[in-house]
Amino acid sequence: EKAWIDRIDAFTAPRLVEYFDEDPCAPHVLYELSARAPAAADAASRARARALGVAIEAQYAVGEYDVLILSAKESDGLVTWLREQGYRLPDGAERVVGSYLKQGMRFFVAKVNLEAKERLGTEVLRPLQMAFETKKFMLPIRLGTLNAAGAQELFVYTLTRTGRVEPVNYRTVRLPSDVELPVHVKDEFPAFYRDMFRTQVARERGEAVFLEYAWDMGWCDPCAADPLTPAELRQLGVMWLGDASSPAPGPPRPGFAPPLPGATDAFVTRLHVRYDAAHFPEDLVFQETGDRTNFQGRYVLRHAWTGTASCPAAEQYRRQLGERREREARTLASLTGWDLAAIRAKLGSLGPQPRPAGSDPWWRRVFGPQE
């Protein structure tokens, strides 16, 4: 069900955290959190497949999809048969297909059945789930790069028993996190995240896989969305729930939320990669680690105090506010490549402005705030 994918996406999504500065003269604390039966291959096509060394191992009708499982002796025969059946394969496909065939791989081919889709009344294609056994923990991406007009965007969600997943043949880089940004980013978060990710990809020369989230599914700090239930996790392939051999979820660190009722031993990792053939010439090969260190893309907004109270602490707060805004503006510009002057212009309409330098009495500039 698409809802399961949407749920794990929401649970692991990068999020904004908002804090509100307290009254420096009468401290109080307030914070809010926000995130976000197929048409059988006819005898003629089967005979043609056999003549080209292609075997139709199985075929299924799954909702709006007609699915074939194919094997082949040679890449040329498989590519020829697919093209004759109406599939579009790019130039150079024979080489990549041949390398997969040498590894003993099968091909999962899904064709959209428009009549079935219309009967089901679905607006978007639903996710496909498949199960297979292999000792190779990898994701084939090379064939897709041949058919793409540009870079492709890929999110990988893994649910494992022991800990975080990472690629072994490409570098894993953590996205910038726990940085303070101007509060107007709240209304521009999609644009911020898109440009921040683009900037980080460029800084890594387009050759890195980015970690966006790694956490025990049993608890969160706090949750961007409700954790998946054991029943939902089983539907996503977590078949070991309740297995006595599985490691128990570790206790939360001091100051973090405790494990939720019904906590599981599933550890979720979210990876994000923008790839093309030039920068990712190899398939992604993964390893499951024992690292259960928590990480999430987290971006902090601090709303300024707007009161008029007067006390030494308030005077100091107002002076420091300008420095903080400038620091937040420079951070935003560095992360995204946005124009610093434009960012500063937006800051000008947000709450009270810091007092101009030199506006304090001369004795306060010499001795500082008086308690």
Side-chain angles (χ1 to χ4, degrees), residues 12-55:
T12 60
R15 64 188 182 91
L16 288 171
V17 182
E18 295 182 84
Y19 296 96
F20 293 79
D21 288 351
E22 62 185 25
D23 180 347
C25 298
H28 66 278
V29 178
L30 173 66
Y31 70 91
E32 293 182 359
L33 301 163
S34 62
R36 121 178 143 53
D42 58 36
S45 64
R46 284 182 173 274
R48 176 61 173 160
R50 287 194 298 270
L52 292 169
V54 177

Side-chain angles (χ1 to χ4, degrees), residues 168-231:
V168 299
N169 54 340
Y170 293 100
R171 290 180 299 111
T172 303
V173 176
R174 296 186 177 200
L175 280 179
S177 181
D178 288 321
V179 293
E180 295 188 5
L181 302 171
V183 295
H184 70 263
V185 170
K186 180 178 181 179
D187 298 324
E188 304 174 358
F189 189 63
F192 157 76
Y193 201 79
R194 180 184 62 244
D195 290 346
M196 183 271 292
F197 187 77
R198 172 187 52 76
T199 301
Q200 302 310 309
V201 169
R203 287 177 179 171
E204 298 298 332
R205 301 186 301 279
E207 298 173 345
V209 175
F210 292 90
L211 177 67
E212 289 189 336
Y213 192 89
W215 212 280
D216 192 309
M217 184 58 82
W219 64 285
C220 39
D221 173 45
C223 300
D226 291 338
L228 277 68
T229 66

Side-chain angles (χ1 to χ4, degrees), residues 136-155:
K136 297 177 180 178
F137 188 11
M138 54 87 73
L139 184 64
I141 63 172
R142 287 180 295 148
L143 194 57
T145 61
L146 296 176
N147 216 19
Q152 300 192 73
E153 210 82 7
L154 175 67
F155 294 88

Side-chain angles (χ1 to χ4, degrees), residues 255-271:
F256 285 75
L260 300 167
T264 71
D265 57 6
F267 193 90
V268 60
T269 304
R270 173 180 172 135
L271 301 172

Side-chain angles (χ1 to χ4, degrees), residues 38-80:
D42 58 36
S45 64
R46 284 182 173 274
R48 176 61 173 160
R50 287 194 298 270
L52 292 169
V54 177
I56 301 174
E57 305 279 358
Q59 61 186 69
Y60 310 93
V62 186
E64 62 267 43
Y65 298 99
D66 291 339
V67 175
L68 297 175
I69 308 298
L70 304 175
S71 63
K73 297 177 180 178
E74 299 291 342
S75 61
D76 290 353
L78 179 57
V79 169
T80 298

